[in-house]
Each structure stands twice: as structure tokens, then as C-alpha cells.
Amino acid sequence: MSKKFGLALGSGGSRGVAHIGFLQALEESGLRPDLVTGCSMGAIVGACYCGGASPMEMRDAVLNLNLTDLVSLNIAPFRKNGLMRLNKARKRMADLIGEKTFDDLDIPFQCVATDLVKGETVVLKEGNVLDAAIASSSIPGAFTPAEFGGYQMLVDGGILERVPTKELKNMGAEAIVAVDVLGDLTEREPSGQLMNTLLRVIDIMDTHTTMNKRRARMRYVDLFLEPELGSMDQYSVKNLAFAYDKGYELGVKNCGAIRKLVERD
């Protein structure tokens, strides 16, 4: 028997397409996680993968996307608490896996969001998995906060928990691999535009929180991996094939180490 293999897919916007390439490399090596967690883009990829979509199906679905394929502008953004909606992104996920609950998934999956009312991370593991993934991805200011599972204002889980490894351990994972596609975002050239400034503030807070938690959790995280994505902008729907390729390279490079982790002594 092998150890129970848990895979955490971190947030990252367009850089999160690297998760798809990483999963493709695992599949080609005969490795398949027993448990998956995700945040934001990692939640979207994780939900689709655990819902039965293959990495190649996901790759074909995303490589030629542009922003208008994923979001719609809100008519009254101040009343809606966000400039845009992720309704089109949700529809594309439904095209891949249909309407499924967490209980319908092929692989046990959980994702995280941030509750703006209580100011804490919440773990989403019941109900419609597409709605949960969208809640996990709702960047405050950019997208309308989500209502889900009794929570009234859920936003992007990456604000407090960019790479949900603790949740994997709580699910019973014995060998934990985490993929962080954002890395250290503290040194980037800021823009003068209001929304870009807000997103930059979130990035800095997110990075400091993530790095502190990463150090604290290395006692039970076996591999913490980062694809080499350079200065790729997570908020721009460009260079998606590049992100996929870098994720694939990361997977190929580490498949041997992962196999050793999941093999019992």
C-alpha cells in the first residue's frame, strides 16, 4: 500500500494554469493524488480535476481564453460590491464537469475562502463544488463577494490561506505536496491605477502571510514546489501556454521524488 497522497494547489490567477501542466505530468507518471485542496485558481483547477476533467481537457479549455470569456461587468458595481462577476467562468467549469456536489467528486476535495464578516478562513466541503470554487476565487473589489453554505460574504481564500496544506493534513493526507504558483510577490513594479493598487496591496499581504505559514508548516509538508514563472502577471490572461509548460516541467522534475514520498517504507 502507498501513503495517502495529498496535493495542495495554491491561488494564482492566470499563473494557476501551471497547476494543469503539473497534473498532466503526474498523470503521465502514473501518479494520482488521493486528496486535493485548492485556493482561488487552484480551487477551480482542483474542482475540475476531482470532478473528472482530465488535464488535457482543461488545457484545451483554457489556452485560448480571454478575459471576456470568463467575467461579466456588473451594471451597479458599488451596490454589487465588485466590478465584475465570474458567471462565465462558472459556466465553463460546468461545461467540463457538469453540476456536481462535493459528494459526487472522483477524488475527495476541499477549497478555502475568506469570510469577510468574521475575518477568517472557511473550508468549503459541502454543496455545489462549482459555487464553492467561485467563492474561493472572488478577489475583493474585483468580483462580487459570494454567498455560499450559509456565509453571506465570501471572497478569495488567498487573503489568508494561499496554499491550503493544513486542510490536507486534516483530511488525512500522509504525504503532502504543495504547489505555490505565486512565490514571492513582494518586489513588483506597482501601477498607478486604483484597482491595480488594491490588488498590489492584497499581493503583499498575501505573500507575507503565506511565507510565515510556509515556515510553520514545513514540519508536515513534504514538498513545497514553485514553477519558474518569472514576472508573469497573474491578473493578465496571457502566456497561458507558458504557464502550462512550466507547470509540466515542474511535475516531470519532481515525479520521482513524489513517488518516493508516497511509497511506504
Side-chain angles (χ1 to χ4, degrees), residues 204-218:
I204 293 171
M205 296 170 62
D206 171 9
T207 295
H208 281 285
T209 300
T210 300
M211 294 307 169
N212 288 335
K213 289 185 175 181
R214 175 171 173 170
R215 286 189 289 269
R217 294 176 182 174
M218 285 309 293

Side-chain angles (χ1 to χ4, degrees), residues 5-145:
F5 170 23
L7 178 63
L9 303 176
S11 61
S14 60
R15 292 167 68 103
V17 173
H19 291 314
I20 303 174
F22 186 81
L23 287 168
Q24 178 62 30
L26 293 188
E27 292 255 314
E28 290 178 5
S29 294
L31 291 165
R32 188 171 175 83
D34 300 299
L35 306 164
V36 178
T37 58
C39 179
S40 198
M41 186 59 177
I44 290 175
V45 173
C48 290
Y49 181 67
C50 294
S54 71
M56 289 307 295
E57 287 174 329
M58 288 189 280
R59 178 185 184 277
D60 292 343
V62 304
L63 284 195
N64 295 315
L65 290 177
N66 56 55
L67 189 61
T68 57
D69 295 322
L70 300 173
V71 303
S72 298
L73 290 174
N74 277 322
I75 296 174
F78 291 103
R79 182 165 58 84
K80 294 291 186 180
N81 253 330
L83 296 176
M84 297 170 284
R85 294 174 292 150
L86 287 165
N87 57 321
K88 291 183 180 179
R90 189 192 185 286
K91 183 181 183 304
R92 290 188 172 272
M93 292 176 67
D95 290 341
L96 280 173
I97 65 171
E99 297 290 340
K100 292 187 176 182
T101 68
F102 282 86
D103 291 337
D104 297 326
L105 301 177
D106 299 337
I107 300 171
F109 171 72
Q110 296 180 5
C111 59
V112 295
T114 302
D115 179 7
L116 283 185
V117 176
K118 294 186 176 181
E120 62 187 23
T121 296
V122 296
V123 181
L124 308 179
K125 53 185 177 182
E126 296 178 343
N128 186 291
V129 72
L130 301 187
D131 291 336
I134 293 300
S136 178
S137 307
S138 297
I139 301 170
F143 302 114
T144 301

